Amino acid sequence: MEIEGFLPATTENKPDYCDVDISRKSFWAQPALQMDDVFAHLRAEHPVSWQRPIEGAVVPDPDDPGFWAVVRHADIKRVSHDNDTFVSGQGVMFDRLPPLFLEMALSFLAMDPPRHDKLRRLVSKVFTPRQIKRIDDKIEHATKEIIDGIATDPSGEIEFMGRCASLLPLRMFCDLFGVPDHLVEATVTHITGAVSWADEEFLAGRTAAEVQLEAIAGLHQVAQEIIEMRRAHRGDDIMSSLVEAEIDGQKLTDFEISSFFCLLSGAATDTTKTTLGHATRALSLHPDQRDWLLADLDARVGTAVEEFIRWATPLLTFSRTAVRETELSGQKIMPGDKVVMIYLSGNFDETVFDQPRKFDLSRSPNPHVSFGGGGIHFCLGANLARTMLRAETRELFSRIPEFQTEEPDLLGTNFIHGIKRLPFRFSPQ
Ligand code: HEM
C-alpha cells in the first residue's frame, strides 16, 4: 500500500524471514515470560531479525514486506535516540496508516521535529507547577476514596481491573482535561475500543479497523464538546489552557487539541492501570516480596514502583521507520524499513539486568525501557504515572496487606500488555 509522502517499504536486500517467527497473533497472546523465552533466544542469536508481516494488522496491507524486530536493550536505546535515522512520522505501530489517521489517534507521538517539538513543548508548559500541585493533592484524595470503597466491600471479592486499577488514572485524566460527568462513560467506552482492537473477544466479529475508527472518532467527538464548553467558560483544566495556547502566534486547531486528547486518553490511563494489575498479580505470587515491601512501605515504595513498571511493560512495542541506510547489530537497514522495538525484551535483557526474571522490588538501578528508550519521544507522563502508582501502592497494600489473585485474563495484543480481568480476594475491613 503506497501512502503519499511516505517512503515505500521494500523487500530489497532482505535476508530470509527469521526461523523464530514472532509475527503470529498466538505468539502475542502468551504470558510475558513465555514470550521472553523466545526473545531470550533472539537476543542471543538474532538481535535484529527480519520478520514476516504482523498477523491481524488493523488495516491488512498486501504489500507489507515485514519488519525488523529489535530485542536488545542497547539497540532499543540506539533506535530511540537516533531520530534522524529512525522517524516516527510514518507510524509508530506495526500498521502503515495514512498521516491524517496517525495524527488523529496519536498526535505528536507520531510526528518528527520540528512539529513534534513545538507541540510537545507547548503541552509540557501546560503542566505548570500549579497544575502538578493540584494533581498531586487530587491523587492522594482520590486514591483514599477508591481503596476505601474496596477495603470495606463486605463480599471480599472484586474484579480488580474494573473496580480498582482503572479508576485512579481515569479520574485523573478526566480531571486534567475537564471531562464533565455526562461524558465520562462515553470516554471510558472509546478508550477501551481504542486499545482493544486486536482482541478477538472484544471485536466480537467486527474488524479491527471498524472498532479503532469508531473509538478514535468517538474520542474526538467528546473532545470537541469539551473544547466548545471551555471556549464559553474557562475552567482550571488543561483543555482550557490548550484552547488559549499559541504556537508561533497561532492558536491550535480543534483537530490538534482533540488529537492530543485522544493520545492522552490512552497513554495516561491504560498504561498505569496495566502496571497496577501486573504488580498486584506478581505480589500475590511472590509473598516474600510483598512482606519486604510492607516492612518499610514509605522507604521502599519508590524502587518497588520502578520494578512494577519494568515487570508490567505496559506497552510492549513501538516502531520507527528508517529514512536512511544504516546498520543495527550487524544488519543492514534500508530506507523505508519498519523497525519494531520490543520493550518487553529490552526489560528482560540479561546483559543489563541481574536475574531479569526475578521480580525484585529492591532492584536498583533499574534502567527499564517501559517509558521508551530515551530521546525526544520519552514518555511525557512518566512522573505522573509514578506518582499515581506510589499513591495506589501505599494505600492499597497497607489497607489490604493480605490478598489472593487468580490467573489474569490477558488482552492478547502486540501493543498493550493489558489485563482484561483479574479476580482479587481479600478479608474486608
Ligand atoms: C506506566 C505508565 C506509562 C507507560 C509505561 C508509558 C509509556 C510510554 C511510551 C513507551 C512512550 C513512547 C516513548 C517513545 O516512543 O520513545 C510514551 C509516550 C508518551 N506518553 Fe507515556 N506512559 C505511561 C504513562 C503516561 C501518562 C500518565 C501520561 C500522561 C500524562 C503519558 C503521556 C505520554 C505522552 C504525551 C507521550 C508522547 C511523547 C512524545 O511523543 O513526545 N504517559 N509513553
Side-chain angles (χ1 to χ4, degrees), residues 108-109 116 120 264 267-268 271 275 320 370-371 376-377 379 381:
F108 59 86
L109 178 62
H116 163 271
R120 181 171 166 125
L264 258 263
T271 47
T275 306
R320 303 284 191 264
S370 294
F371 290 124
I376 61 168
H377 290 280
C379 178

Side-chain angles (χ1 to χ4, degrees), residues 29-208:
Q30 303 174 91
L33 291 182
Q34 252 162 278
M35 283 194 268
D36 190 59
D37 287 340
V38 176
F39 294 139
H41 176 69
L42 287 176
R43 282 193 299 272
E45 303 290 331
H46 311 282
V48 177
S49 60
W50 181 239
Q51 296 281 339
R52 289 180 172 73
I54 200 80
E55 188 189 356
V58 178
V59 186
D61 175 4
D63 300 326
D64 182 0
F67 64 94
W68 293 106
V70 177
V71 290
R72 284 186 183 161
H73 190 276
D75 287 333
I76 292 173
K77 294 201 77 134
R78 150 93 203 277
V79 172
S80 304
H81 282 274
D82 185 359
N83 60 285
D84 288 333
T85 307
F86 301 104
V87 304
S88 298
Q90 303 188 17
V92 289
M93 289 158 77
F94 282 97
D95 290 84
R96 280 169 75 80
L97 300 168
L100 182 73
F101 186 78
L102 277 180
E103 174 162 358
M104 195 172 166
L106 297 171
S107 181
F108 59 86
L109 178 62
M111 287 180 198
D112 298 306
R115 195 146 171 254
H116 163 271
D117 300 1
K118 285 183 181 171
L119 277 169
R120 181 171 166 125
R121 213 173 303 131
L122 183 143
V123 168
S124 314
K125 268 201 242 155
V126 169
F127 285 93
T128 56
R130 186 158 152 257
Q131 279 285 6
I132 307 254
K133 168 85 180 74
R134 195 176 72 86
I135 296 164
D136 284 354
D137 293 346
K138 292 233 168 178
I139 288 176
E140 289 296 324
H141 179 77
T143 306
K144 283 197 166 49
E145 211 174 83
I146 293 164
I147 306 301
D148 201 46
I150 298 168
T152 55
D153 183 326
S155 74
E157 195 169 343
I158 59 164
E159 192 293 288
F160 188 78
M161 302 312 287
R163 275 286 305 280
C164 183
S166 62
L167 297 187
L168 180 66
L170 194 68
R171 274 210 206 168
M172 293 327 296
F173 171 76
C174 289
D175 186 81
L176 272 173
F177 279 87
V179 178
D181 289 348
H182 73 281
L183 289 176
V184 170
E185 202 181 317
T187 308
V188 177
T189 307
H190 296 314
I191 292 175
T192 312
V195 298
S196 308
W197 44 268
D199 183 71
E200 295 297 341
E201 184 192 14
F202 186 86
L203 292 179
R206 301 170 72 204
T207 64

Side-chain angles (χ1 to χ4, degrees), residues 23 37 63 92 113 179 200 228 262 267 286 293 301 334 374 387 425:
S23 67
D37 287 340
D63 300 326
V92 289
V179 178
E200 295 297 341
E228 278 156 26
C262 203
H286 301 276
L293 174 61
V301 68
M334 299 298 286
T387 306
R425 269 196 296 275

